[in-house]
Structures are given as C-alpha cells and as structure tokens.
Amino acid sequence: MKQKEAIKVFEDRKVRAIWDMEKEQWYFSIVDVIAVLTDQNDYQGARNYWKVLKFRLLKEGNETVTNCNQLKLLAEDGKMRLTDVADTELILNMLAEASTKDISQAVNPESFEESKKVAKQGGNVAKVARLELEARTGKKVVSPLNAKQAIAEKNKKEGKVE
C-alpha cells in the first residue's frame, strides 16, 4: 500500500491522516477525530474514550470496530506508532453518534418518539456533512454496502468461511 501522510486541520485542531494511493481514500486517526468531536484538549481523554467505546462496541457485536484499520502515524512523542484509523464513511457514522448524544443531552427526550426525533436530528448532522463533502469532491463518500455486507464480501475475497 503506497501511502502519504498529512495533517488535516479542523476547527484549529490537528487530525492525523494518511492517504492510501491504491484505494484513493483518506484514513483518519480515530483518537484525533474523537478529540475534535468531543471537544477534548487532552488526547489521553480521547484515547480513553475510544478505548471504552471500542470495548463496548465489540462486546455488543457492533461491526464498526471491525472496519477500523491500524496504520503507523506520527505520535506525539515523534515516533511512528500503530494507530486506529477509519475512512470518511466511518468518521461520518461517528459524527452522527456524537451529534445524537449531544442533542439528546440538550433536549433530554422522555419518550421513545422523542428519542427517535433526536436520533434523526443527529443523523441529519452527518448527512449534511456528507452531502457537502460529496458536492465539493464530486465523489460518493458512503458505499452502497452496509457493514455486514462489506465484511462478508471481504471474507469471501480472503477465502474465510463464516
């Protein structure tokens, strides 16, 4: 895999990224994205957040973590270290979840119907971001496959039996 490293800046915050020339897509440091989405200045806090979330998702059988790769990125100590990374589609999913959580805390829904409205609003935040990105790049961000289909397809290509 040919790669090119970069630092992206979002709201004056650094997000480590790496370009996969073969797949023609960016991969972003999940911890860096979490630090931005949760407005944490402390990267240890973002690392802990990701560690707990990753464990909970794995325990629930959520496929999101399965889609994460680890690539070497420049760490704070100046060394190249394996870092959990995700593509734009997964980052948008994380944005939807973080937005839903923030809206839920602000609105404090009391019924299932109110919770559904909050979830839709959180998803809308990510949808707007996705549509804006697609308009600016002229490329689709989200794949037509859902996570389970993508994993099954990947396993089939690799000859793995489910």
Side-chain angles (χ1 to χ4, degrees):
M1 170 193 313
K2 288 187 174 184
Q3 302 170 340
K4 177 178 78 171
E5 279 190 69
I7 298 287
K8 300 292 185 180
V9 178
F10 180 79
E11 293 182 356
D12 297 325
R13 304 283 299 273
K14 292 180 181 178
V15 176
R16 292 170 295 161
I18 193 161
W19 175 254
D20 183 334
M21 291 179 199
E22 292 172 7
K23 293 184 180 178
E24 295 186 346
Q25 68 182 21
W26 284 102
Y27 289 93
F28 304 93
S29 163
I30 293 175
V31 171
D32 294 356
V33 171
I34 286 173
V36 170
L37 291 177
T38 60
D39 199 27
Q40 292 189 33
N41 293 324
D42 171 26
Y43 276 96
Q44 188 59 41
R47 281 189 202 100
N48 289 340
Y49 184 100
W50 175 236
K51 180 180 172 184
V52 170
L53 178 61
K54 186 175 172 179
F55 176 76
R56 191 184 72 198
L57 291 171
L58 284 169
K59 189 175 176 183
E60 292 173 356
N62 189 305
E63 302 292 338
T64 303
V65 179
T66 308
N67 291 334
C68 295
N69 298 306
Q70 281 197 331
L71 298 174
K72 286 191 175 187
L73 294 176
L74 189 62
E76 290 175 332
D77 63 5
K79 296 181 181 177
M80 297 298 285
R81 300 201 184 273
L82 282 175
T83 306
D84 285 336
V85 296
D87 63 10
T88 307
E89 182 175 357
L90 187 56
I91 297 298
L92 287 171
N93 286 335
M94 292 170 65
L95 174 61
E97 289 179 26
S99 301
T100 300
K101 178 184 168 203
D102 289 347
I103 294 168
S104 181
Q105 287 175 341
V107 174
N108 196 21
E110 294 183 10
S111 70
F112 180 72
E113 286 304 316
E114 290 174 358
S115 294
K116 280 178 30 180
K117 287 179 185 176
V118 165
K120 188 168 181 95
Q121 291 171 350
N124 247 4
V125 170
K127 179 181 179 183
V128 168
R130 176 184 59 85
L131 292 173
E132 178 73 16
L133 182 59
E134 289 176 346
R136 289 179 185 233
T137 63
K139 291 172 39 177
K140 290 284 184 194
V141 172
V142 179
S143 72
L145 300 174
N146 67 31
K148 284 189 177 189
Q149 289 172 316
I151 291 167
E153 187 175 288
K154 179 182 173 188
N155 288 340
K156 186 177 177 181
K157 286 180 183 176
E158 294 175 357
K160 294 179 183 176
V161 178
E162 291 182 22

